[in-house]
């Protein structure tokens, strides 16, 4: 399997070299999507939007978790002095509360992940449009998004981020300047 993969890569590289020998010059670029997701204003705005959208639910979960912990600690302290029936009833109540808390926490995480994926997909779609525009206007033959090694001179990520930022600034107006401060708040 490893040899087959290596053979495929060698064949691809050989094909690229042959193609470049036939063509005058092969123009290759590289885009680091992780950097786009971290540094583009649209990514920061999406992060701030998600934080705002989910902050109340997260606070409620933290409060519920703290209350559950306090009730558990109280039962642990008072348990030896409680009658058996009352101890069992409170233990059952704590188990029910814990199950409810775990369910809410799972739902919260699933909802957050789903919304985060939606926002990242929208950003990726916009980034791909920008990459395509750059490829067409600057006459790139190939633009890669994943590679084991890329020479830094082929990296056009800064250009893509700059284009994304300017397109989001023109489409959102003053919203772009307000998201910069909100993006910094997410890094606690």
């Amino acid at each position: 399997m490893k040899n087959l993969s290596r053979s495929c890569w060698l064949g691809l590289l050989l094909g690229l070299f042959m193609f470049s020998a036939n063509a005058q010059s092969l123009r290759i670029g590289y885009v680091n999507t992780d950097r786009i997701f971290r540094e583009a204003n649209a990514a920061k705005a999406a992060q701030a939007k998600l934080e705002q959208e989910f902050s109340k639910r997260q606070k409620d979960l933290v409060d519920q978790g703290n209350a559950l912990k306090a009730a558990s600690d109280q039962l642990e302290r008072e348990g030896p002095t409680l009658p058996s029936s009352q101890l069992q009833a409170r233990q059952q109540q704590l188990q029910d509360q814990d199950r409810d808390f775990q369910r809410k926490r799972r739902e919260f995480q699933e909802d957050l992940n789903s919304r985060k994926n939606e926002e990242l997909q929208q950003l990726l779609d916009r980034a791909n449009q920008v990459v395509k525009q750059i490829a067409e206007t600057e006459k790139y033959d190939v633009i890669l998004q994943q590679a084991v090694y890329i020479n830094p001179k082929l990296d056009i990520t800064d250009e893509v981020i700059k284009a994304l930022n300017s397109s989001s600034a023109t489409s959102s107006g003053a919203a772009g300047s307000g998201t910069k401060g909100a993006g910094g708040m997410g890094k606690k």
Side-chain angles (χ1 to χ4, degrees):
M1 183 73 169
K2 190 174 184 181
N3 288 334
L4 179 63
S5 177
R6 183 177 281 161
S7 297
C8 288
W9 278 107
L10 288 174
L12 179 64
L13 288 174
L14 181 61
L16 283 174
F17 286 126
M18 289 176 57
F19 178 75
S20 67
N22 290 335
Q24 291 289 327
S25 69
L26 179 65
R27 190 134 189 237
I28 299 174
Y30 169 74
V31 175
N32 183 333
T33 52
D34 290 337
R35 273 192 55 214
I36 291 172
F37 288 154
R38 282 191 319 267
E39 298 175 18
N41 288 343
K44 293 173 184 177
Q47 180 64 33
K49 179 180 175 182
L50 288 173
E51 286 174 7
Q52 181 181 10
E53 186 176 326
F54 286 91
S55 64
K56 183 182 180 337
R57 277 179 67 188
Q58 185 174 20
K59 183 187 178 312
D60 291 346
L61 278 174
V62 168
D63 291 346
Q64 185 178 1
N66 290 340
L68 188 61
K69 174 82 169 109
S72 176
D73 290 346
Q74 182 181 9
L75 180 62
E76 196 173 300
R77 282 191 311 274
E78 297 174 356
T81 62
L82 292 175
S84 174
S85 61
Q86 192 176 6
L87 178 63
Q88 287 177 345
R90 285 185 57 189
Q91 286 174 335
Q92 182 63 43
Q93 182 184 20
L94 273 176
Q95 287 175 349
D96 292 345
Q97 289 174 348
D98 185 54
R99 248 189 320 275
D100 182 54
F101 173 70
Q102 296 301 330
R103 179 187 53 78
K104 286 180 180 178
R105 194 168 71 177
R106 246 186 336 270
E107 288 173 355
F108 171 80
Q109 198 60 49
E110 289 170 2
D111 292 347
L112 178 62
N113 288 339
S114 175
R115 283 287 295 123
K116 188 174 187 178
N117 288 338
E118 288 173 16
E119 293 291 331
L120 290 178
Q121 187 59 50
Q122 289 175 5
L123 177 61
L124 184 61
D125 291 345
R126 288 178 52 206
N128 284 338
Q129 289 173 348
V130 167
V131 167
K132 186 176 179 185
Q133 289 171 349
I134 290 172
E136 290 171 352
T137 58
E138 297 187 20
K139 311 258 189 278
Y140 279 94
D141 297 304
V142 177
I143 295 184
L144 305 171
Q145 287 185 330
Q146 292 183 352
V148 174
Y149 170 77
I150 289 293
N151 187 327
K153 71 180 182 181
L154 300 176
D155 191 348
I156 63 168
T157 305
D158 289 332
E159 190 175 345
V160 172
I161 291 172
K162 196 178 298 181
L164 272 172
N165 289 348
S166 68
S167 71
S168 68
T170 57
S171 66
S172 63
S177 62
T179 57
K180 190 170 186 177
M185 287 178 51
K187 299 175 186 173
K188 293 181 180 177

